[in-house]
Amino acid sequence: MGCGMATVNFSVPDEVKDLFNTAFAGKNRSAVVADLMRSAAEHEIRLLRRREAVAEVLQGRATEASVTGQQINDARQELRQ
């Protein structure tokens, strides 16, 4: 990760700004916003990866042959011998 700094301009409702300023009074608000943005981005990336993993599992299930409970029990018995 680079160490450069960027300026980001965005609008938020006044009530959100006021709440933020109250919650983080006396703190480096730029650092707080950067940490919140990083956390939100990492969270979103984790969700995307989970969705992709679930889609991959479901795709695999769609192409795999079904196995009955009896077949599973038979395989277990065979492995125990």
Side-chain angles (χ1 to χ4, degrees):
M1 249 190 296
C3 294
M5 297 294 282
T7 299
V8 180
N9 295 310
F10 52 90
S11 298
V12 296
D14 288 335
E15 65 187 56
V16 173
K17 178 185 170 197
D18 294 341
L19 183 62
F20 180 87
N21 287 336
T22 299
F24 298 106
K27 297 199 176 172
N28 179 336
R29 290 179 291 185
S30 293
V32 171
V33 169
D35 287 343
L36 292 170
M37 290 176 72
R38 181 181 297 109
S39 293
E42 289 171 349
H43 175 74
E44 197 64 27
I45 289 168
R46 283 192 305 273
L47 287 177
L48 175 63
R49 289 182 180 153
R50 286 181 191 141
R51 287 185 201 112
E52 289 171 347
V54 168
E56 192 174 317
V57 167
L58 293 176
Q59 178 64 31
R61 284 186 175 180
T63 59
E64 294 293 323
S66 296
V67 178
T68 67
Q70 185 59 51
Q71 290 171 311
I72 292 170
N73 286 334
D74 292 346
R76 285 182 181 151
Q77 283 297 88
E78 187 176 319
L79 288 172
R80 290 181 183 143
Q81 296 175 1

